[in-house]
Amino acid sequence: MDKQEIITKLQSYGLRLGSSGNLGGRRGGAGPSDHRAVTVEGTTVMVPIHTGTARQSPYVAEAEGHQLALIEDPSKPVATIDFPAQPRFYQLTTADGVPYWKIALLHGRDVLATTVQQTCKRYRDPATACQFCAIEQSLQEGRTLARKTPDQLAEVAEAAVRLDGVSHMVMTTGTPPTLDRGAAYLADCARAVKARVNLPIQAQCEPPADFQWFEQMRRAGVDSLGMHLEVVEPEVRAQIMPGKAEVTLSDYFEAFKAAVEVFGWGQVSSYLLVGLGDSVNTLVEISARLIDLGVYPFLVPFVPISGTPLAGHPAPSPELMQAVYRPVAALLGQTGMTAAAMQAGCAKCGACSALSLFEQSS
Ligand code: SF4
């Protein structure tokens, strides 16, 4: 099995921690999360570990001497793996006593990730909430702050660059009940970080009502932008994200066009969650439309998160993932658009997807 195949399977099936795997001191992250960063033969990816699917996974991490082996049941070693060490900046606290890990987390290998506002206008009403979303869960469990201040983010970003060598930053936000859809606060946060440390930043939000916010974010120091379609077919949108489905696909495409004019070709991206009902054809067609506009289609396997309405929904099979990765990687290859050329963001990090591995081999 090659690395591309191992990672695709691991992201679909998840990983169990074996009885002999002494992982206590090697687990990164602050508090429980359903994904964990795992380095598979030198490539760091996010893999479901605490999900129902992962508990049934054929893949187990077992200690073998000083190394960890990925074992495919019953006893076939398929790769050497490792868990990235906890970053140094997690040890620090702000002057007013807030641990840095409540402000931003290390994602993948070298990305600082934060949700600048941890509440969303759609989350508390089941009639509008996105079924896959857990945005306020970590807030309720006391693992994060409702709103991170620009100064707090700048302080943590400076430390994460200095102590842990992070090379870009992702700032996402829950959607506030304002027409800028969070763009104004993302701009404030980006401005504060850039004043303190030279770190490429991706902002992520819903399309703002007025596209002048793209220019404002750009001027504030945002280098690339994510606006996430998540799912595409009308019935799937209505079922999976009944509130956000009110923002039509044509609203999104108008926003993509305007955003590419500001951030540049290949510097805007969109999450597409595979496994929630969209067909392979739909996913490939929408990816082709996005690429035509200069937008990177960031295909990721849906991961069922505990405590959400979709906790029991099956993860997509590796075959389904390969069926979308292959043609979309070929389309990317035809245009020369690459994850690596993005200045910042999820597509550049790539840890939640195997698309960039397929991109490299297409
Ligand atoms: S792809 Fe995005 S969400 Fe996933 S680990 Fe990287 S920065 Fe975090």
Side-chain angles (χ1 to χ4, degrees), residues 283-300:
L283 289 163
V284 176
E285 273 170 30
I286 203 87
S287 298
R289 273 184 75 191
L290 290 168
I291 294 168
D292 263 0
L293 267 186
V295 176
Y296 189 99
F298 189 49
L299 295 158
V300 299

Side-chain angles (χ1 to χ4, degrees), residues 35 45-46 106-109 111-113 168 170 202 204 271 298 300 345-353:
H35 268 90
V45 289
M46 300 302 280
L106 184 74
H107 275 203
R109 189 174 48 84
V111 185
L112 185 67
H168 55 120
V170 173
Q202 184 197 42
Q204 305 182 345
Y271 257 81
F298 189 49
V300 299
C346 284
K348 185 176 188 69
C349 164
C352 288
S353 168

